[in-house]
Amino acid sequence: MTKKTVFIDISAAVNDRRAIIKYIDSDRSDGKTTHAIRMAYDNMRETGKTGVIARRHVGDITKTYIEALGVNLRTVRPDVREVVAKGSPKKDGVFMFADGERFAQVVPLSRIDSIKSALDNKTHKNLYIDEYVPMSGRYLKNEVTNILDIWFTIDRRTYSNEIYVFSNHPTMSNPLFSYFKVVPRNGISRWKNGRFLLLRVANRGNREQIAQSPFGELIEGTPYADYACGGKGVQPVDRLICPSHAKTRLPVVIIDKSAVGLYHAKCGLVVDYCRDRTPQDRIYTTQRNAGRNGGTYLPVNTDLLYSLKIMFLSSQIFFASE
C-alpha cells in the first residue's frame, strides 16, 4: 500500500509579511503544486480575487496539468464539489472555477504582452509560479522582467501582492538567483533587505519513502537519487576547479583570446583578467594536459563549461569589478 505523501511546511514563507518574492525550493513530490492551487483558492475565498498561476511556456499548460490542479485542490479542499476549466493558454490563459467561482488564471510567462492585458489589480491577487526550474536549464530571454511585469500589473503600487515561486532543485542556478544575487542556502534566508525570501526545505518522510521504494533501489548511488531524495541537483558542480589548483599555479581560462584567471576566495571564485600571461588563439588544452601548458586550466568538456555557467548564475563566481 502506498503511503500518503506528507506536504512540506511553507508557513515560514507564508507568514513573512516583508518579502515580495517567496521562493520555495524542495525535493520532488513534496506538494508544491498543491500548495500553489490551494493558496489561489484560499485567496479567492478571502479576497474575492483571482490568483495568477504561471508556467513558462504555452506547452507546459496541458489539459493533463489543468486536470491535475483540479484533483490536487479537491484533495486538500474536499468541500469543493466541482472544478471546471475554460479558456486556452494561447489566448488569455486557462480560467479555473471551483463550484462556479473563478479562483485561478493559469498563464504562460512567454506570452507576457497579451497576458498583461488580461490582468488587473482590481480582479487579481498574487502570482504563483509552478515548476520554475526546468530540467533542460533553458529559460526565457527576459524571464525576470516578465515575472516582475506581471506582479506590477496586478499590484499597481499597492504593495499588497506576493510572488510565490515553487521549484525543485535539479540545478543550483536560475535567473532569479542571478538577478537578485541570491546564494542558495538550506533553511530560510532573506535577501534584498528582506524583500526576497528563500525557503529551502526537505521532507525527510518523503525522502525515506522514496529511498525505501523499488524506485529508490533502482536509483541508489546515482545522481538522480541525489536529486529525488538527497536534496542535491543533477548537474555536476564539483569537478570544475579544486582549491588545490590555486596553491601552486593560477588556473586560467582562454576566452576570445583573453586570459581569464579564476581565483579562490571566501565568497567563491573571483574572475579577473590575467596580465601576466599571453592569450592563445584558441582553446588548446584540457584538464588532463593543464600541467604541461603553463598551469592553464581550460574547461573544454561540456559538463565543465556548464558547471562554470551554473556557478556564475548562482553567485558563486564573481568578477573582480564586483
Side-chain angles (χ1 to χ4, degrees):
M1 181 177 179
T2 302
K3 295 183 179 179
K4 183 179 180 180
T5 298
V6 180
F7 298 143
I8 55 173
D9 181 4
I10 64 171
S11 58
V14 174
N15 295 332
D16 188 291
R17 299 306 177 195
R18 184 169 180 80
I20 294 175
I21 297 179
K22 299 180 177 183
Y23 193 108
I24 298 163
D25 179 310
S26 75
D27 299 327
R28 295 200 61 188
S29 303
D30 272 347
K32 293 182 291 294
T33 298
T34 301
H35 274 306
I37 195 67
R38 173 193 60 77
M39 294 174 72
Y41 174 76
D42 291 348
N43 169 68
M44 181 275 294
R45 299 291 295 173
E46 179 181 350
T47 68
K49 295 185 177 182
T50 300
V52 182
I53 297 178
R55 295 291 303 271
R56 184 164 286 102
H57 300 288
V58 170
D60 296 329
I61 306 174
T62 63
K63 180 181 178 181
T64 301
Y65 176 72
I66 295 298
E67 290 175 347
L69 289 179
V71 171
N72 290 352
L73 176 61
R74 294 186 64 188
T75 298
V76 294
R77 293 292 179 265
D79 56 311
V80 175
R81 297 184 300 275
E82 182 183 45
V83 178
V84 175
K86 300 179 181 179
S88 168
K90 295 180 181 180
K91 296 181 180 180
D92 294 338
V94 177
F95 298 91
M96 300 191 69
F97 301 81
D99 297 333
E101 295 184 279
R102 191 178 82 176
F103 72 97
Q105 184 173 349
V106 189
V107 303
L109 292 173
S110 59
R111 301 191 66 251
I112 181 65
D113 292 331
S114 59
I115 291 303
K116 283 198 304 180
S117 63
L119 304 175
D120 189 88
N121 68 311
K122 296 182 179 64
T123 55
H124 294 78
K125 183 173 176 61
N126 291 347
L127 172 60
Y128 308 92
I129 304 174
D130 190 25
E131 299 285 357
Y132 179 65
V133 175
M135 289 293 290
S136 66
R138 296 180 179 179
Y139 297 89
L140 302 176
K141 183 178 180 180
N142 299 312
E143 182 146 306
V144 177
T145 301
N146 291 5
I147 292 171
L148 296 177
D149 244 8
I150 291 178
W151 175 84
F152 194 86
T153 299
I154 63 177
D155 188 80
R156 295 297 180 187
R157 298 184 183 178
T158 64
Y159 308 111
S160 60
N161 288 268
E162 299 168 325
I163 303 172
Y164 285 88
V165 183
F166 296 94
S167 171
N168 300 330
H169 39 223
T171 65
M172 60 189 293
S173 74
N174 64 67
L176 279 170
F177 286 176
S178 177
Y179 193 89
F180 292 106
K181 300 186 184 304
V182 173
V183 180
R185 298 174 181 171
N186 291 332
I188 190 167
S189 57
R190 293 173 174 84
W191 309 83
K192 305 298 290 185
N193 199 26
R195 300 304 183 183
F196 190 115
L197 180 149
L198 170 62
L199 178 63
R200 301 198 85 190
V201 292
N203 188 324
R204 182 171 298 178
N206 284 346
R207 285 185 176 183
E208 292 176 352
Q209 287 183 29
I210 295 174
Q212 295 171 8
S213 70
F215 183 63
E217 293 178 356
L218 173 67
I219 63 175
E220 182 180 3
T222 69
Y224 196 86
D226 290 337
Y227 166 52
C229 53
K232 300 179 181 179
V234 295
Q235 301 296 348
V237 294
D238 57 348
R239 289 180 293 154
L240 184 60
I241 297 176
C242 298
S244 60
H245 292 149
K247 292 180 179 179
T248 55
R249 294 179 178 177
L250 175 67
V252 176
V253 177
I254 306 300
I255 302 176
D256 295 333
K257 299 185 180 181
S258 297
V260 179
L262 304 175
Y263 301 82
H264 284 272
K266 291 182 178 180
C267 60
L269 294 176
V270 175
V271 180
D272 197 6
Y273 286 105
C274 304
R275 294 174 175 79
D276 58 341
R277 294 191 180 277
T278 302
Q280 303 296 317
D281 292 335
R282 59 186 175 86
I283 293 179
Y284 62 91
T285 188
T286 63
Q287 178 180 8
R288 182 183 59 189
N289 298 323
R292 290 180 289 175
N293 289 277
T296 54
Y297 181 98
L298 305 175
V300 295
N301 178 276
T302 302
D303 286 345
L304 295 174
L305 282 171
Y306 187 83
S307 297
L308 180 61
K309 173 184 175 183
I310 292 303
M311 295 181 76
F312 168 69
L313 291 177
S314 59
S315 299
Q316 293 189 70
I317 293 180
F318 300 84
F319 287 101
S321 59
E322 297 179 310

